[in-house]
Amino acid sequence: MRPIKARISIGAIAHNLRVARRHAGTTCVFAVVKANAYGHGLSRALRALAAADGFAVLTLEEAANLRLMGVEKPILLLEGIFGADEIATCAELDLWPVLHHPVHLDWLQQRPPARPIQVFLKFDSGMHRLGLPLADHAAIVARAQSLPGVAGITLMTHFAQADEAAGVDWQLRPFLREIAGYGLPWSSANSAALLRYPDTLGAWVRPGLMLYGASPFADVSAAELGLRPAMTLQSEIISVQTLQAGEGVGYGQLFRAERAMRVGVVACGYADGYPRHALTGTPVLVGGRASRTLGRVSMDMLCVDLSECASAGVGTPVVLWGEGLPVDAVAAAAGTASYELLCALAARVPVEEIA
């Protein structure tokens, strides 16, 4: 067997949910499990996240899959509905859609469900991605309350810079000011807001990334937040090359040795989910020692520096991210986000589930 594998810890995900709980206090927690639970496997994540109050997904198909798996808790559709024909399914499966455009209210009026459903009205407080106009909140809430197909309403927004110095106040304050008179439950906090801004808790929080052991902040590590990595991507050295000064390695010869050195070839490439755009210097662990990638990542292989790993050879284990090497550090070096690395894990990579 090719030596690459992803080790996924059920215990780490459950631990990270407990961290989210401590920050949430009495607020209910939607565990975000979209994108196959950020690459960790939906059924696996469900077992680890059994203590969540509900689950948040992207599509109707994901939600239906959760119901088939026996989930009876609330399920939030983060991107809402994509057609009036989906309203009946929301009622049948007791799904809570996010309504973020006036056309969604039109559909609910035109195609009222057989039984009323819970809805989240998402208002745009400044991110300008999805959301109903906050300035029109009075008319929008009144219309939603008038629809016989609506059983209950939660008001919602999403932050653009909860993980940055700009913070959330510039969005949170106008949102709370405008909705203050309704007495309706509200939801605003993603992982970053939950960890840093207790004023954002509301009735529901929506942690995602933190559940899988990554930090939403560039300046605070996952370990400092008390989080444990859920996924460790690991492989082995399958060949060793010796370069002389001036010789290059890999496609494009992007790395050239300044002196004689040993290079390890690792069974991991972009077809496994490792970022092709990761350049020389991206951190790896070789036999437990810190090292770096060299040159361009290939489809099935990448090269690592063995200059400080004298005993490394064929069969030496290599950690690409996870235990001992935060995925956030790899993502930062590769100029991307940890979300992308975790979600990009390829189906061809074997998964070993651990406690």
Side-chain angles (χ1 to χ4, degrees):
M1 293 283 289
R2 189 164 175 259
I4 191 171
K5 66 180 176 181
R7 299 169 68 244
I8 296 180
S9 169
I10 296 291
I13 299 174
H15 165 84
N16 297 334
L17 176 60
R18 290 192 292 271
V19 174
R21 278 271 188 220
R22 287 199 294 272
H23 286 271
T26 58
T27 297
C28 293
V29 176
F30 273 123
V32 180
V33 293
K34 63 180 178 177
N36 195 29
Y38 288 53
H40 293 72
L42 186 58
S43 63
R44 185 176 300 112
L46 285 183
R47 286 183 278 117
L49 298 169
D53 299 298
F55 297 93
V57 297
L58 197 71
T59 67
L60 198 65
E61 292 79 10
E62 289 174 321
N65 197 14
L66 289 181
R67 291 293 187 228
L68 287 174
M69 292 177 179
V71 172
E72 298 179 352
K73 294 178 179 181
I75 298 176
L76 183 67
L77 295 173
L78 289 167
E79 214 167 71
I81 50 179
F82 300 95
D85 56 332
E86 294 189 347
I87 295 172
T89 305
C90 287
E92 178 187 352
L93 298 179
D94 190 20
L95 309 178
W96 299 3
V98 171
L99 309 183
H100 57 79
H101 193 280
V103 74
H104 296 155
L105 295 171
D106 295 340
W107 293 342
L108 269 171
Q109 184 171 359
Q110 297 160 8
R111 304 275 287 272
R115 60 188 182 94
I117 60 175
Q118 295 283 336
V119 302
F120 277 51
L121 292 180
K122 183 174 186 177
F123 287 98
D124 178 13
S125 58
M127 188 168 181
H128 301 315
R129 192 175 63 175
L130 296 180
L132 297 152
L134 186 57
D136 298 340
H137 64 89
I140 291 167
V141 172
R143 185 181 181 194
Q145 290 175 326
S146 74
L147 295 176
V150 174
I153 297 170
T154 300
L155 306 178
M156 176 182 177
T157 196
H158 192 62
F159 298 123
Q161 294 177 294
D163 57 341
E164 299 176 12
V168 301
D169 274 3
W170 66 277
Q171 289 183 260
L172 180 66
R173 297 307 162 198
F175 174 70
L176 293 181
R177 183 178 62 247
E178 296 300 323
I179 70 169
Y182 297 115
L184 292 172
W186 54 276
S187 173
S188 69
N190 56 4
S191 291
L194 171 59
L195 289 166
R196 187 165 278 179
Y197 302 106
D199 289 351
T200 66
L201 296 182
W204 288 89
V205 293
R206 312 186 302 269
L209 182 67
M210 68 175 293
L211 298 178
Y212 308 101
S215 171
F217 307 115
D219 58 343
V220 183
S221 71
E224 290 173 305
L225 295 169
L227 303 173
R228 292 169 45 192
M231 179 194 295
T232 296
L233 181 63
Q234 63 186 60
S235 189
E236 295 177 3
I237 293 174
I238 59 172
S239 181
V240 175
Q241 300 291 331
T242 299
L243 301 185
Q244 300 302 317
E247 291 185 330
V249 65
Y251 289 120
Q253 301 283 276
L254 298 186
F255 172 81
R256 291 187 178 275
E258 295 180 354
R259 58 186 181 278
M261 63 182 297
R262 296 169 70 239
V263 173
V265 181
V266 181
C268 177
Y270 60 78
D272 300 301
Y274 198 85
R276 184 179 183 273
H277 53 272
L279 300 178
T280 294
T282 303
V284 294
L285 289 181
V286 177
R289 294 180 65 92
S291 186
R292 59 174 181 153
T293 62
L294 300 174
R296 179 171 287 160
V297 176
S298 301
M299 180 180 286
D300 311 305
M301 289 168 280
L302 57 81
C303 294
V304 297
D305 188 350
L306 300 184
S307 298
E308 303 299 322
C309 308
S311 63
V314 172
T316 296
V318 176
V319 171
L320 289 312
W321 64 69
E323 285 289 340
L325 178 60
V327 66
D328 307 306
V330 178
T336 185
S338 50
Y339 302 82
E340 181 179 1
L341 301 191
L342 297 174
C343 292
L345 184 71
R348 78 178 192 177
V349 176
V351 174
E352 175 188 345
E353 184 179 305
I354 60 175

